[in-house]
Amino acid sequence: MLKSSERWFEMASVALMTVVAIAGFAVTIYAAWLFHDMPDGSELADFRPVNSARVFAWEGTLIGEYGQERRVNVPYDRIPERLRNAFLAAEDRSFFSHSGVDVSGVSRAMLKNVLNFITGRRFEGGSTITQQVAKNLLLGNERTLGRKLKEVILARRLESSLSKEQILELYMNDIYLGYRSYGVGSASFNYFGKPADQLTLAESAYLAALPKGPENYRPTTHKAAAIARRNWVIGEMVQAGFVTRAEGDAAMKEDLIVQAKPQRAHYHDADYFVSEVELRARKLFPTDPAAIYTEGYYIKTTLDPKLQTYARQALMNGLETYDRRHGWRGGWGNERVASNWQKIAAEKEAPAERAKWVQAIVTSAAKGSVSVETVDGAKGSLVASDVGWAFAGKGLKTGDLIFVEPNPQGSGFRLRQVPNVNGALVALDPYTGRTLAMVGGYSFSVSKFNRATQANRQPGSSIKPFVYAVALERDFTPASIVEDGPITMMGGDGKMWTPQNYEHDFMGPQPIRRGIELSRNLMTVRLAQKVGIKPITQKIVEYGVSPKVPAEMSMVLGAGEVTPFNLTGAYSIFVNGGRKIRPHLIDQVLDRDGKVIYKSEDRECPACSQPFNGLESPRLQPAGQQVMNPITAYQVNSFMQGVVERGTARSAASLGIPMGGKTGTTNDYRSAWFVGFTADMVVGVFVGFDDNRTLGDKETGSAAALPIWVDFMRNANAGKPKKDFLKPRDAVFVSIRGREEAFKPGTEPKYQAGSDDDGPRPYLDTWTDGELQSAPAEAPVIQQPPAPKKKTLEDASQLY
């Protein structure tokens, strides 16, 4: 019997040992599988979290960001001690004393979880900050025993690989805090609109309250809970000795106010510019276009925020002025019998750039008086002038939904209407190509299509200065006379083409500059026939006006297509002495470590790295390629100064500063232009409908585009000293009809007093042996050449 019992015990022991062995083997296999690919944690020493690109104006204003995870990496020594202590108090008070895992904290969490299990609450993990770093950066959020074991092991590895300061820095720059914020740097801006080092104690404590559940403590939806959690953090800080009781009590009494929406950039006038920078930045990294969304690049642009604001305001105001000239189009809805009209009206948003506009309903309407009520309950009447404007157009009736704005000059409301017309404004530095301002439409919130860079439109007579420049590069001079008379030529379709001046008149022989000043089509066509259309179109491409120009005669009157950005850039040639510059928006791109990985400036300056000897500062060669004789550039510049002084842009002369420019209007008034310049800035304005329909009778470049240009330039030049245009060094200046004209050496008229001349000629003044003499000018009179044989584009007879 004993032997039987012993045998049974022996068999049981063997069985038990077998089970233990199998279990041990299974555990070994599981452990091997669980930990076979687990990182050792050392790679976090060089960890680079996904970070958005930040876009800055030239003087440092943050104007935009690209990326979903909007981090702002803050080094450990730049994180305020009070903010660090707030997170330690809330998350891991013993962080600097434990070795990665807080055994007492885990024990407390386990005891609490017994109660949580009974009450149905969520379990607490008892994780240290080190464990959270291991989980967030190396593991994941799955709630399993295996993940928890990995977390504990990795936490110990992290503690042996990194310093406490490095671990805390990783944590505070990676933790998600809601409001599209990753890390304390981003959260500081998104919630409070300030950098982390400017946070108050109460604000620091609020951010430290968020890791447990940002959406549960958002002030806009759960303010009481947010304040309660913030105050709990402050209490923990007091208990830990991080702040005094008095400081804690004062902080707990503060209100909790955050921004209405997450945002870092408070400058919002450059939306079109920032969007264009995004497109161009992607092209800088053709092998990895998405890098700008993840690598934390610092993008320094050429934007001048002050000029950009002036540009946006000028374009919006100018388009609204044009729109008002063409009448009230009626309300954008009618809810006369709807009881929930406020909800319906609120769905129609005003342009984001017009923050004072508000939705309203017409409560009563008559020709003499219109009463309205806004969605926020304000009541009043429209000002009398707007009532008259409305009833001169489509009128108003009870129930109409409209936009109104509180009358800035008194009581009541102003009636507002979003224009259907659109446009663009571009301002450039003519010497470097830096884009100082760019507005691509009336409102980025209404339409994101950038008309400055993406709209190809006919330029009308704004193309003419380039035609005259080619002529002056060849056989013509400022003393040349061109016939302004009827002309007819054969088109490629077999029909006769008879271009006309805008005024449908003829002025006879005229000095060449009058063709620019008065925008005479017939003079321009004759000039182009003499020079040849092919040389003109080739040069226009070389000048950068457009990458492709049709070799057709109607092109010289503006029948081709250009973008406002390219056309404005090409006008720089007339200011900078004939150099083709490269208009650009991005000045530099730096990586997250501050290393320059792209810069627009590619000129060499060997002397710049040498010590200054006090005699002469280093000199850079002028930017751009010389594509036009400097004297020619100045001659056309002078002609366009005449456009302002005596020609189609006379209204701009009221600014009282040296300037030039050229108007442009296309067939049927479909596009209106003015591109003008001072000695240090070139500005182009375009106005037109996106569907290319007519702007209306007499809506010329002078009427629709020039006022916007003048408005912008008045603000842009306020307080600046007057600056004259630089004269070319080798030019010979001769006074013709009382005006100083520049000539290339050897081309200036040279007549002595008493010379005989048959027929009427314009008189000039010239200097011979120090004495002023008068004589008739010898200048070619251009006769009509044979009609061209090439096919022309659409009829351009009304382009001017």
Side-chain angles (χ1 to χ4, degrees):
M1 190 71 178
L2 182 60
K3 290 183 178 180
S4 177
S5 298
E6 290 177 352
R7 188 169 187 178
W8 179 88
F9 180 77
E10 183 180 336
M11 290 176 63
S13 299
V14 171
L16 179 60
M17 292 174 63
T18 302
V19 171
V20 171
I22 293 173
F25 181 73
V27 170
T28 301
I29 296 297
Y30 175 72
W33 171 81
L34 184 64
F35 302 119
H36 78 283
D37 61 347
M38 192 172 70
D40 61 14
S42 61
E43 60 266 39
L44 288 183
D46 297 316
F47 178 71
R48 298 297 180 94
V50 172
N51 208 344
S52 58
R54 288 167 287 165
V55 188
F56 296 86
W58 72 274
E59 37 68 276
T61 298
L62 179 67
I63 59 176
E65 285 185 287
Y66 311 129
Q68 292 301 314
E69 297 185 10
R70 300 193 173 183
R71 288 181 175 85
V72 179
N73 191 69
V74 185
Y76 179 84
D77 57 1
R78 298 287 299 276
I79 301 174
E81 183 180 11
R82 181 165 53 191
L83 182 58
R84 297 199 304 263
N85 288 340
F87 276 83
L88 293 176
E91 295 294 316
D92 190 358
R93 196 188 302 180
S94 61
F95 171 74
F96 281 97
S97 60
H98 64 62
S99 59
V101 179
D102 183 4
V103 177
S104 61
V106 172
S107 300
R108 286 193 301 270
M110 291 178 64
L111 292 175
K112 288 183 179 180
N113 284 338
V114 174
L115 180 61
N116 290 340
F117 175 76
I118 297 173
T119 58
R121 297 179 181 177
R122 182 179 178 179
F123 285 178
E124 295 185 17
S127 296
T128 64
I129 283 178
T130 310
Q131 287 176 263
Q132 292 183 56
V133 171
K135 179 187 70 173
N136 294 339
L137 301 183
L138 298 175
L139 297 174
N141 289 317
E142 60 174 334
R143 301 181 66 83
T144 64
L145 176 61
R147 197 272 298 161
K148 194 67 178 178
L149 289 173
K150 285 185 176 182
E151 178 185 303
V152 170
I153 294 173
L154 276 176
R156 299 299 296 269
R157 291 182 179 179
L158 285 175
E159 292 280 347
S160 63
S161 302
L162 306 176
S163 67
K164 287 286 188 180
E165 290 77 12
Q166 287 176 305
I167 294 172
L168 188 57
E169 179 182 322
L170 284 170
Y171 173 77
M172 297 191 71
N173 281 292
D174 181 74
I175 189 70
Y176 178 64
L177 299 173
Y179 241 33
R180 297 168 65 186
S181 307
Y182 288 82
V184 296
S186 179
S188 300
F189 281 103
N190 286 345
Y191 281 103
F192 301 111
K194 63 177 72 171
D197 59 4
Q198 295 180 16
L199 294 176
T200 66
L201 171 58
E203 292 166 344
S204 298
Y206 173 68
L207 295 188
L210 293 171
K212 285 294 185 287
E215 299 307 315
N216 297 330
Y217 303 114
R218 179 177 290 189
T220 54
T221 54
H222 302 85
K223 187 170 185 177
I227 292 177
R229 178 70 180 176
R230 178 202 68 181
N231 290 349
W232 174 84
V233 173
I234 295 172
E236 292 293 301
M237 294 179 73
V238 172
Q239 187 176 345
F242 293 145
V243 296
T244 66
R245 171 59 62 183
E247 290 173 324
D249 289 344
M252 289 183 186
K253 293 177 182 178
E254 292 184 20
D255 195 5
L256 178 55
I257 301 174
V258 300
Q259 297 184 123
K261 60 182 179 179
Q263 58 178 346
R264 286 194 59 220
H266 290 271
Y267 182 84
H268 298 292
D269 286 344
D271 289 335
Y272 283 107
F273 185 95
V274 171
S275 178
E276 184 66 22
V277 168
E278 179 180 4
L279 296 175
R280 292 171 183 249
R282 287 172 58 89
K283 294 178 181 178
L284 295 178
F285 309 99
T287 59
D288 186 14
I292 66 165
Y293 305 113
T294 60
E295 296 302 313
Y297 292 137
Y298 175 108
I299 302 175
K300 182 182 178 183
T301 72
T302 60
L303 185 83
D304 184 320
K306 187 175 181 181
L307 293 180
Q308 178 67 25
T309 296
Y310 292 152
R312 182 192 63 78
Q313 292 172 343
L315 185 64
M316 292 191 79
N317 292 340
L319 296 178
E320 288 173 3
T321 299
Y322 164 89
D323 186 66
R324 191 175 179 91
R325 276 202 302 272
H326 291 267
W328 169 250
R329 297 190 302 276
W332 40 265
N334 187 281
E335 298 295 335
R336 184 172 184 175
V337 297
S339 58
N340 62 337
W341 71 267
Q342 293 94 338
K343 181 179 179 181
I344 297 172
E347 293 176 355
K348 176 80 170 182
E349 295 184 358
E353 299 84 353
R354 291 302 191 217
K356 294 182 180 179
W357 289 18
V358 63
Q359 305 92 332
I361 191 170
V362 175
T363 55
S364 66
K367 286 194 175 181
S369 176
V370 174
S371 298
V372 300
E373 179 182 352
T374 67
V375 290
D376 52 12
K379 297 180 179 180
S381 300
L382 296 181
V383 299
S385 59
D386 287 353
V387 173
W389 173 54
F391 280 97
K394 293 291 185 180
L396 287 168
K397 57 185 179 297
T398 302
D400 277 351
L401 299 178
I402 57 176
F403 287 120
V404 298
E405 179 182 2
N407 182 16
Q409 280 80 41
S411 60
F413 293 96
R414 298 300 308 267
L415 180 62
R416 299 306 187 200
Q417 177 174 258
V418 178
N420 285 334
V421 71
N422 238 299
L425 187 152
V426 178
L428 300 172
D429 180 328
Y431 301 97
T432 65
R434 297 172 66 248
T435 303
L436 306 174
M438 173 195 287
V439 189
Y442 172 74
S443 166
F444 190 77
S445 64
V446 174
S447 169
K448 293 176 173 52
F449 179 69
N450 191 337
R451 294 151 192 87
T453 59
Q454 297 173 312
N456 287 286
R457 302 295 291 258
Q458 290 186 342
S461 285
S462 60
I463 200 72
K464 289 178 181 176
F466 303 100
V467 178
Y468 282 73
V470 178
L472 291 167
E473 288 276 72
R474 291 174 173 253
D475 300 328
F476 291 83
T477 75
S480 298
I481 304 298
V482 182
E483 177 72 22
D484 181 29
I487 186 171
T488 298
M489 62 188 69
M490 184 71 71
D493 57 0
K495 297 180 180 179
M496 302 304 293
W497 180 50
T498 304
Q500 299 288 330
N501 289 321
Y502 174 65
E503 297 84 357
H504 295 280
D505 62 353
F506 312 106
M507 298 176 64
Q510 293 292 316
I512 189 173
R513 73 160 41 242
R514 297 299 279 170
I516 287 283
E517 291 179 351
L518 301 179
S519 201
R520 305 298 287 184
N521 287 341
L522 300 179
M523 291 177 66
T524 304
V525 171
R526 279 197 167 85
L527 201 67
Q529 286 184 322
K530 179 67 175 180
V531 174
I533 191 61
K534 191 170 183 178
I536 290 175
T537 55
Q538 289 175 339
K539 278 292 184 180
I540 285 178
V541 171
E542 183 182 352
Y543 297 154
V545 178
S546 179
K548 185 177 181 181
V549 178
E552 308 289 354
M553 189 58 68
S554 57
M555 185 281 305
V556 305
L557 300 183
E561 289 186 338
V562 300
T563 65
F565 187 70
N566 287 345
L567 183 62
T568 304
Y571 264 68
S572 298
I573 292 172
F574 303 122
V575 183
N576 64 27
R579 304 187 74 88
K580 177 185 176 182
I581 50 90
R582 179 175 55 85
H584 60 281
L585 288 72
I586 300 175
D587 189 15
Q588 289 185 339
V589 179
L590 291 76
D591 65 17
R592 67 178 78 204
D593 296 321
K595 179 182 177 182
V596 177
I597 58 176
Y598 168 81
K599 64 177 182 179
S600 62
E601 179 59 76
D602 56 3
R603 290 175 292 173
E604 298 293 333
C605 180
C608 289
S609 59
Q610 300 176 5
F612 180 53
N613 59 14
L615 299 177
E616 184 177 8
S617 59
R619 294 178 180 271
L620 278 173
Q621 289 297 318
Q625 175 189 2
Q626 193 77 44
V627 294
M628 184 184 295
N629 187 299
I631 298 175
T632 300
Y634 183 82
Q635 289 169 336
V636 182
N637 179 313
S638 176
F639 291 178
M640 286 192 281
Q641 290 182 58
V643 173
V644 175
E645 295 167 2
R646 297 171 295 278
T648 57
R650 288 186 296 273
S651 61
S654 61
L655 294 177
I657 56 177
M659 66 180 70
K662 185 69 187 76
T663 52
T665 315
T666 64
N667 275 345
D668 302 322
Y669 307 98
R670 292 174 183 169
S671 297
W673 297 80
F674 185 75
V675 186
F677 47 81
T678 61
D680 54 13
M681 186 161 53
V682 180
V683 180
V685 175
F686 156 75
V687 175
F689 287 99
D690 287 343
D691 60 4
N692 204 29
R693 69 179 183 266
T694 179
L695 289 167
D697 190 40
K698 308 300 182 184
E699 290 291 357
T700 63
S702 299
L706 181 60
I708 297 172
W709 190 91
V710 171
D711 185 13
F712 170 75
M713 294 298 281
R714 179 178 292 110
N715 288 311
N717 288 279
K720 291 184 178 181
K722 295 181 181 180
K723 189 175 180 181
D724 289 320
F725 296 101
L726 295 175
K727 295 181 178 181
R729 182 180 304 173
D730 299 327
V732 176
F733 290 89
V734 176
S735 180
I736 298 180
R737 291 193 171 188
R739 294 192 195 98
E740 183 184 69
E741 299 284 11
F743 290 84
K744 300 179 183 70
T747 67
E748 70 276 14
K750 296 178 181 178
Y751 275 82
Q752 300 299 317
S755 62
D756 251 341
D757 188 78
D758 295 329
R761 298 282 189 179
Y763 277 79
L764 59 86
D765 300 321
T766 188
W767 284 263
T768 303
D769 297 328
E771 295 183 3
L772 178 64
Q773 307 288 342
S774 263
E778 182 64 41
V781 178
I782 309 305
Q783 303 299 331
Q784 180 176 340
K789 297 180 180 180
K790 289 183 175 288
K791 179 181 178 181
T792 60
L793 296 177
E794 66 174 272
D795 175 37
S797 62
Q798 297 302 315
L799 298 171
Y800 64 100

